[in-house]
Amino acid sequence: MTTLNFADLKAEAESKASEGLTFIGPAGETIHLRPLATVPGGDLKAVLAHIDALGSDKVSDVTKIHAMDAALVAVATDKKAMAAALDELPLDGRSRIFEAWMEATEVPEA
């Protein structure tokens, strides 16, 4: 019989989390954007919902911008610093971070 251990599974996911994207914030802080496969429960559901919104023709551009920012905050290891950084960046900068995260973590496009 196979036995899985919660602590081992969590440690394995955390070791893979370093495979994501590193972003240096406005104050020089390091913010790691985790790969989708390593994002836990509630954050994962939120990211998937935000990615769905980005691919929908039924939502406004404003909603898509909010969804992109919210997805980046949800995958960030420092959510507060990521949210603050996104607030200071123009749309082009935020889009570049999102695209780089998707490429670095092999997220299927919305």
Side-chain angles (χ1 to χ4, degrees):
M1 171 167 58
T2 301
T3 301
L4 296 175
N5 180 297
F6 176 86
D8 293 342
L9 294 172
K10 187 166 180 167
E12 181 181 340
E14 288 171 355
S15 72
K16 290 179 182 177
S18 65
E19 298 169 4
L21 175 73
T22 299
F23 170 67
I24 306 301
E29 69 276 31
T30 299
I31 304 167
H32 189 71
L33 305 177
R34 301 170 288 182
L36 193 59
T38 66
V39 176
D43 285 341
L44 177 61
K45 290 175 188 173
V47 172
L48 292 175
H50 296 311
I51 290 173
D52 283 347
L54 286 168
S56 174
D57 294 333
K58 298 178 182 180
V59 299
S60 70
D61 289 342
V62 172
T63 300
K64 288 182 181 187
I65 292 167
H66 172 72
M68 178 182 62
D69 289 353
L72 289 172
V73 170
V75 300
T77 54
D78 186 338
K79 292 175 182 0
K80 186 175 180 180
M82 190 69 205
L86 292 173
D87 282 344
E88 293 184 36
L89 279 174
L91 179 58
D92 184 54
R94 297 184 339 240
S95 295
R96 288 184 61 200
I97 295 169
F98 186 79
E99 290 167 9
W101 171 73
M102 285 185 15
E103 289 174 12
T105 61
E106 299 179 13
V107 175
E109 288 197 35

